[in-house]
Amino acid sequence: MGVPLFDTKTPLAPLREEIVRRIGEVVEDGRYILGPNVEAFEDEFAAYCGAEHAVGVANGTDALTIAMRAMGVGPGDEVVVPSFTFYASAEAIPPTGARPVFCDVDPDTFCATADTVRAALTPRTKAVIAVHLFGNVAPVKEIEALGVPVLEDAAQAAGSTCEGGRPGALGAAATFSFFPSKNLGCFGDGGAIATNDEQIAQRARMLRFHGSRDKVTYEQIGCNSRLDELQAAILRVQLPHLDGWADGRRAAGAHYERVGLGELVALPRPAAGARPAWHLYVIRSERVVDVEAALREAGHGYKAYYRTPIHRQPAMAAWGAGVSLPATDELARTHLAIPMSPVLSPEQATEVTGAIGRALAAGSPVP
Ligand SMILES: *Cc1c(COP(=O)(O)O)cnc(C)c1O
């Protein structure tokens, strides 16, 4: 049987009854916006990240825009962001009034480095968005050593760890998405901002509620962007299981290594000191077209997420035209996500690897 690209259903099955019970409690209670579950989840999630504060918002894209505004990013500023990431990482910048400046990434880790960020810095750089792509962990401290504040885009890295702790407590602030397919996913849209900075947390709280602290005086043009009480209740049931699921994702990566996938294609490399909770397991191959065809024929899941990097997207023409990012272009061309989940078995890893191996043995290698 084909191996799916991801499996969000199996890990949640044992929690189903508890989740339904908690949803029932919210309905019974009748408070749906900024109630006790959001407050409790914010405390629990901050503690999980090792951060002082967490602020629940409507999704991971709003989380980025609100966090940047809370960090003081505004018109006339520049924000450095990798081009090889989900579109929202860069899309969140123009609404602050700042302009995105694209940087390259390390092709082995998929993350920006101090060197790739340095090449994009100017006197107007106000912040750097370090994306922990696919669950790998960007070198936040090394980037901060360049003298710019770092906003972690940790949408794909819930459950990952590194020597400095966890994503969420490494930079000035961090953002998360609880989109259903993310490592920690709710049953709709959801997001959060984590930070150790009290002022950033306060500003984010104000911005998510129309720029008001007390619902009487409106100090800023904010927005309406809250994590729902129902989603918070669902996330509270799941959070204690996140580390176990992260272990499952790492074990799945280890299965692929054990059955020799690394002899066929380039495997993702954990960043120095990182223990990635692989959100997606992304391989690279010059013969990615053959790999795709083989997986399709065998009925296995696969997806090329970022074939067109952000700096080449039409909406980004004003900021992306003429930018040269060789590693990004190479990754965009050669990457492919193959099945990954907390419950991917050694047998499934063997099947997927077998299909890839047969495809690559059949054709002649690219010169
Ligand atoms: C999913 C994702 C986002 C956006 O999150 P939403 O909740 O979908 O708005 C931002 N950045 C990255 C890297 C993501 O993967």
Side-chain angles (χ1 to χ4, degrees), residues 24-91:
E25 284 175 7
V26 174
V27 173
E28 205 56 44
D29 182 63
R31 280 177 288 180
Y32 297 110
I33 302 290
L34 297 182
N37 278 290
V38 170
E39 203 170 304
F41 175 71
E42 288 177 341
D43 288 347
E44 290 158 10
F45 191 64
Y48 175 84
C49 295
E52 291 288 321
H53 314 275
V55 180
V57 294
N59 56 68
T61 309
D62 282 1
L64 284 163
T65 301
I66 292 172
M68 278 183 272
R69 288 189 62 192
M71 288 166 68
V73 172
D77 293 333
E78 293 179 356
V79 176
V80 175
V81 65
S83 172
F84 191 73
T85 169
F86 178 51
Y87 179 65
S89 302
E91 182 194 25

Side-chain angles (χ1 to χ4, degrees), residues 58-64 85-89 131-134 153-156 175-179 182 189-191 279 306:
N59 56 68
T61 309
D62 282 1
L64 284 163
T85 169
F86 178 51
Y87 179 65
S89 302
V131 183
H132 300 310
L133 200 67
F134 304 144
D153 181 346
Q156 300 188 3
T175 62
F176 291 85
S177 164
F178 304 126
F179 184 82
K182 301 285 160 96
D189 278 309
H279 169 58
Y306 314 128

Side-chain angles (χ1 to χ4, degrees), residues 78-161:
E78 293 179 356
V79 176
V80 175
V81 65
S83 172
F84 191 73
T85 169
F86 178 51
Y87 179 65
S89 302
E91 182 194 25
I93 299 169
T96 68
R99 55 179 281 144
V101 176
F102 295 103
C103 72
D104 219 344
V105 290
D106 176 339
D108 291 323
T109 65
F110 317 113
C111 293
T113 67
D115 285 337
T116 67
V117 168
R118 190 185 292 110
L121 293 182
T122 78
R124 285 186 296 277
T125 308
K126 184 78 174 188
V128 175
I129 298 180
V131 183
H132 300 310
L133 200 67
F134 304 144
N136 219 340
V137 186
V140 174
K141 289 290 166 251
E142 290 170 30
I143 296 169
E144 274 183 340
L146 299 171
V148 280
V150 169
L151 172 59
E152 303 170 65
D153 181 346
Q156 300 188 3
S160 298
T161 67

